[in-house]
Amino acid sequence: MKHVGRPLRRPDDAVHLDGRGGFVADVAFPHQLHMRVVRSPVACAKLVGVDTEPAYALPGVVAVLTADDVAHLPPIGVRLSTGASLERFLQPVLAATMVRYVGEPVAVVLADTPAVAEDAAELIGLELTPLEPQLMPTDSDVSASDPLRGNEAATVFKAFGNLNTAFHRAERIVEVDLAWGRDGAMPLETRGLVAQWDGARETLEIWGAGRAAHWNRDVIAEVLDLPRSAVVWHTTDVGGSFGVKGELYPEDMLVAYAARLLGRPVRWIEDRREHLLAANQARDIAASARAAVDSSGLILGVDLIFTVDQGAYVRTEGTMVADLIAAMTPGPYALGAYRARGHLKLTNKTPAGSFRGAGRAEAAFIRERLMDAVAHRTGIDPMELRRRNLIDPSEMPADRGMETLGSAVTYDSGRYQSLVDATTRRFSLDVVRRRAQHRRAQGELVGVGAAFVVDAAAPAGYEHVKLSVDRRGTVDVITAAAEQGQGIRTLLAQIVADIVGVDYRRVRVTAGDTVQIPFSAGTLLSRSSAMVGTAAQHAAEALREKILAAAAAMLSVPADKLTIQGGRIRQADRHFGAILDLGELAAALEPGPSQRVPHGFALDADGSVTTAMTTFPYGLHVAVVEIDRDTGLVSVPSVYVGYDVGNAINPGLVEAQIVGGVVQGIASALHTALGVTGTGDPLRANLADYAMPTAREAPGVEVLLIEEAPSPANTLGIKGAGDAGLTGMAPAIAAAVDDALGVVGFARQLPVTAADVMRELKARVPLPLARVGAA
């Protein structure tokens, strides 16, 4: 039975459907303490003092920690960066002399119950001297309120080709100014962590999300002066992550520190308001891009300047987002020259980090809006313009002359024109556009927009997988990769099952292990299937060789005459004869009186992979929008996505990822935003104000998976699909809104709001004659 390439059901689905999942909020211990964070109520102020006495007077309060108590703990470091010096901009575990955003941790209360911890936190007095907050990025190097840090944390620069020549040769120059408001991941489950110190074993055990569990473990071990082996991170089930959970936050460090300090388990589960105030936020960019265009519509060069509003501190992702924006803006187009200058600016807002599609979604918005502007200026159909500029397959692998995240931006493979043609045929996109034109002629506000995206996935790194077989014939797989809903357990089971020769339901995957798998680069940027899958392939191939060698010794049959099917070993050229069950073979290899095969054939194997290559999946997103004339509300009834992920291990999981990403992309383009008032107070601190789309707003999504360009970066040909549905949605919707309104360049700022649309509609309607000059 072949498993790879089939949309098989996830074996662990029943666990979650039956409510048997183990989330961090399900972890509890006797005598545990509950942590509550005291947060700054203002965006910028001098912190003069913290009065903890009223809290200590409340029965059940065990400890209150302030900056003085944790002064020896260093700021939270950077995991992903381009090498810029960022020490001055890192976040302290607790604010000491200044608070720099609403929600910044100032103190923590540890109490016997959550209610007591919350009541005590409200009793703590903060003496603050308010200062003028910096709420918008500025070109000034010095902040009046915070002169020791400055306003810019880092710059990013990338370039190739001769940009001056490109603009000198251009027949026309097209410019766009764009902005994307602040947003963030809003998973169903908020952040949380549980830690327990075992004094007898001198071991700190931690339960929580595992996106970067190994890095988090190493940092905590170093800060608490413990050997790496003394910190064990147990990865729990995750109710959505999207880049926001599993990174190391100040609260996580405080949970670990308090557990060791007080010798009792410590549990912290944030509420929704805290998540909206303090979890990593994202997007919040402004960009100016200009293109040099020749007489035939070819893009000769692109010049980009952009700013990322980083918020108050640089967190663990460092300069990753800015670096990816700069590296990925060229996209699928054969530019002759390119230059990008990005500025990471500090403001008094919640610090920014990663959110699904980090850097790639912003790059796609900039690039595709620029392409639409070029199409308008040249009079060339937007899709035809894209076709003319796509990189030809003969150019693959295409070296873009830049680096990002430690590896070269060299597109591994791609048949871009073929994908456009196949998607157009499959979904009759020409008919979709004609129908929209007909409806507009009837007075409806309907539009169609498209965006072509190239993503970056599976960046350079290392992964390791261990396999073993028990006496029941079950194949155990151990990986450091965290299951975050992407289906890594199923993918690994399918890969291993095909190679070893068992049913995938007999493969048991343990994910997120930090003990038996000591090193991992983390679960991010769609790297699990490509990196961990390849390591599992290598381990499975080694295990199969061991199985056949051991069976050959036991059956006195040459190994090359044996095969494994359905977990049973038999002679390949015979339908009848000796058959050996895989579990029986494993039992015969166990040491002791029952051992029937010479020592050394234990049924276990390791596989690892190290690569400096990144994969580059790509796709075409097409959105249909409808606008209500009376309210200005924009809806998206239909979305079409053609995508090439290399080889799809489980097409069903890939399609599910794409559909989920589409809805999340619609949310960012039309609905969700995390703005602040003129004093820096968050505008949206609950789900009544933060308007996420529901099933009612979800469109019909049709997906075409194409497997024409397997990646040469790994032996399975996998590229990655985690962000496939999201990266192109914002520019596709923006173009569709322009099309519906008949105003090119209307959607220059995201999210597109009903108020923006109504202003445009009212501006084009003349006042009735009876009202002209009326009092």
Side-chain angles (χ1 to χ4, degrees), residues 40 159 169 231 233 238 382 431 443 464-465 535 537 625:
S40 170
R169 290 175 48 208
V231 179
W233 194 290
V238 177
V431 175
H464 181 193
V465 170
Q537 176 197 13
V625 306

Side-chain angles (χ1 to χ4, degrees), residues 242 356 620-624 636-643 654-671 693 697-703 721-730 732-733:
F242 313 122
R356 193 174 188 180
L620 177 66
H621 295 70
V622 178
V624 178
V636 185
S638 303
V639 170
Y640 308 94
V641 180
Y643 216 88
V654 174
E655 289 191 24
Q657 288 276 23
I658 290 175
V659 172
V662 163
V663 176
Q664 210 158 24
I666 291 171
S668 284
L670 297 176
H671 303 291
E697 288 77 38
V701 183
E702 296 191 46
V703 178
D723 302 310
L726 182 141
T727 47
M729 282 312 301
I733 289 173

Side-chain angles (χ1 to χ4, degrees), residues 299-349:
I299 312 298
L300 304 177
V302 169
D303 192 12
L304 168 65
I305 300 175
F306 68 93
T307 298
V308 176
D309 186 338
Q310 177 60 34
Y313 298 102
V314 176
R315 284 189 170 166
T316 52
E317 291 91 343
T319 58
M320 179 189 78
V321 172
D323 197 68
L324 282 168
I325 292 173
M328 297 307 298
T329 293
Y333 306 121
L335 309 179
Y338 173 70
R339 180 176 64 193
R341 291 163 289 177
H343 302 273
L344 207 65
K345 295 287 188 176
L346 297 174
T347 59
N348 292 117
K349 299 177 187 173

Side-chain angles (χ1 to χ4, degrees), residues 619-700:
L620 177 66
H621 295 70
V622 178
V624 178
V625 306
E626 298 173 350
I627 301 176
D628 187 302
R629 286 185 180 276
D630 296 325
T631 64
L633 289 173
V634 180
S635 61
V636 185
S638 303
V639 170
Y640 308 94
V641 180
Y643 216 88
D644 195 318
V645 296
N647 290 331
I649 302 301
N650 187 313
L653 293 183
V654 174
E655 289 191 24
Q657 288 276 23
I658 290 175
V659 172
V662 163
V663 176
Q664 210 158 24
I666 291 171
S668 284
L670 297 176
H671 303 291
T672 56
L674 293 169
V676 296
T677 67
T679 58
D681 295 300
L683 286 170
R684 295 167 181 85
N686 56 64
L687 292 183
D689 298 325
Y690 184 81
M692 290 193 297
T694 66
R696 183 183 181 90
E697 288 77 38

